[in-house]
Amino acid sequence: MNQQTYDYDVIVIGGGPAGLMASIAASGKGARVCLVEKGAKLGRKLMISGGGRCNVTNAGEREELIKQMPGNGRFMYSALSQFGNREIIRFFEELGVALKEEDRGRMFPVTDKAVTVAQALIGKLKAQRVKILLNHPVEKVLFAEGRTAGVRLRSGEELTAPCVVIAVGGCSVPQTGSTGDGYGWAKEAGHTITDLYPTEVPLLASDPYIRDKSLQGLSLRDIEMTLYAPNGKPISRQDGDMIFTHFGISGPAALRMGHYVSTARRKYGEIPLALAIDLMPGKSAEEIAAESWRLLEEQPKKAVKNVLKGYLPERMIPVLLTLAGISEETTGSHMRKADWNALARKIKEFPLTITGTLSLKEAFITGGGVSVKEIDPRTMQSKLMPGLYFAGEVMDVHAHTGGYNITIAFSSGHVAGTHSALQARELGEQGELQQQKQKLGN
């Protein structure tokens, strides 16, 4: 193959974190790169990540990162070895983006602005002379002679290249351009698309105190929640912060639990699942009962609802008392120890009936995607179609919130960009060698 017969060495489809990093890595290896984005702007999902502050990675050890990737995290081991969180941090610092570490290892730009990260990436693209095509939807990935050959745009124009990187995301947050385009192209190359489902997604609940919205907007810090299978066995425990909503619960701990709710419903069917919230994970039920009982003894004439103010979130007090079968107006001097122990147990196991999650479109991350069994983890190249590479959320890989998903995007993007550039160079050298042989033969 003659390198000169192609318009580009590498075409990257998708201007999100994975596509931006793939383009930078490929052009950094000397490849002629074209980045094709169907929208009017690059980095739209990046701009809303981390609450608009862009959590660029997580500072944890590699094993901890993989542990936080419940969706085929082991597949990322080789990619993280080549370009992991330490390399991501160094990459941005070398671009002049100062970073800071926050709780749970989350790394943010010191500016607290996602635009700082986006501008640095786009500036690097331009410095490395990447051709950027905005408002250019791709209609089809082209294959010829058993390998990747380029793309056809919706306008009808064809761009040729021996290597194409699909980095168009999944189906979640479709307003950023992730509308599942990549799955059809992967199927045409022979790939399997595993079942798609919402993950990192708020949870739906059907309890009376959810339906009447009495807890809506209440935030809880440093709780622990446990999801149970229909047989009563724990499926997962997640800790951190959460918030009650008009439909159920959201916040970091609930979003992480979204993966396990989705997978449990796929396993057991669309049946309600029990979830218990531990409001005071640092204390036992006995300790809670003892210290709160002392409050009653100190104020025996006060109604229990008033005694508990300051000890429990005020809006939860009526709900907890109802669950424990205690009247709000009961005074401390009339309280029975057995009832108070029941209240302590409800504080440790506040019950919710989970009926599902928000939809895939409303999720932060798509579960499922191009089967990782058909992708080489060392290069991100298709095992079925030479020259076709994948990066980011289009693959069946996902993680919890906290900088882990964007780490997958940057890591897999860098690996796909690097190895696609190396393959294009090798094909070019082979073409030149063939030309020389032909000339000598003549």
Side-chain angles (χ1 to χ4, degrees), residues 19 23 27 88 97 116 125 143 167 184 192 194-195 209-210 215 264 295 305 350 370 379 422:
S23 300
S27 57
I88 292 169
V97 179
T116 304
L125 288 175
F143 308 108
T192 304
T194 62
D195 290 343
Y209 31 90
I210 297 298
L215 298 177
L295 295 176
K305 66 177 182 180
F350 182 81
V370 181
T379 64
L422 294 176

Side-chain angles (χ1 to χ4, degrees), residues 347-401:
I347 292 170
K348 290 295 290 181
E349 296 183 354
F350 182 81
L352 283 176
T353 306
I354 302 301
T355 56
T357 71
L358 290 185
S359 70
L360 183 52
K361 290 182 178 180
E362 296 165 295
F364 287 96
I365 300 294
T366 303
V370 181
S371 173
V372 294
K373 295 177 182 177
E374 300 163 356
I375 301 171
D376 185 340
R378 298 165 300 172
T379 64
M380 297 295 147
Q381 183 175 203
S382 164
K383 292 180 179 179
L384 309 179
M385 181 63 69
L388 184 63
Y389 293 77
F390 298 96
E393 198 179 339
V394 71
M395 300 185 292
D396 184 8
V397 184
H398 67 267
H400 292 315
T401 55

Side-chain angles (χ1 to χ4, degrees), residues 98-115:
L99 301 176
K100 60 179 178 177
E101 183 175 342
E102 296 190 4
D103 62 301
R104 295 173 178 259
R106 298 179 302 155
M107 299 297 297
F108 289 93
V110 170
T111 61
D112 282 329
K113 294 179 179 177
V115 68

Side-chain angles (χ1 to χ4, degrees), residues 263-294:
T263 53
R265 284 169 64 79
R266 290 164 67 217
K267 180 177 180 179
Y268 300 113
E270 296 185 359
I271 59 174
L273 297 168
L275 183 140
I277 300 171
D278 185 346
L279 301 177
M280 299 182 181
K283 299 175 182 177
S284 68
E286 292 73 22
E287 288 171 327
I288 292 169
E291 68 181 16
S292 58
W293 186 260
R294 285 194 292 271

Side-chain angles (χ1 to χ4, degrees), residues 1-3 426-436:
M1 292 188 182
N2 183 355
Q3 188 183 27
E426 184 180 337
L427 290 170
E429 290 171 352
Q430 289 174 359
E432 289 173 5
L433 183 62
Q434 191 65 31
Q435 282 184 332
Q436 290 173 359

Side-chain angles (χ1 to χ4, degrees), residues 150-162:
V151 302
R152 180 185 301 137
L153 304 178
R154 200 171 292 168
S155 64
E157 181 184 1
E158 292 189 354
L159 306 174
T160 60

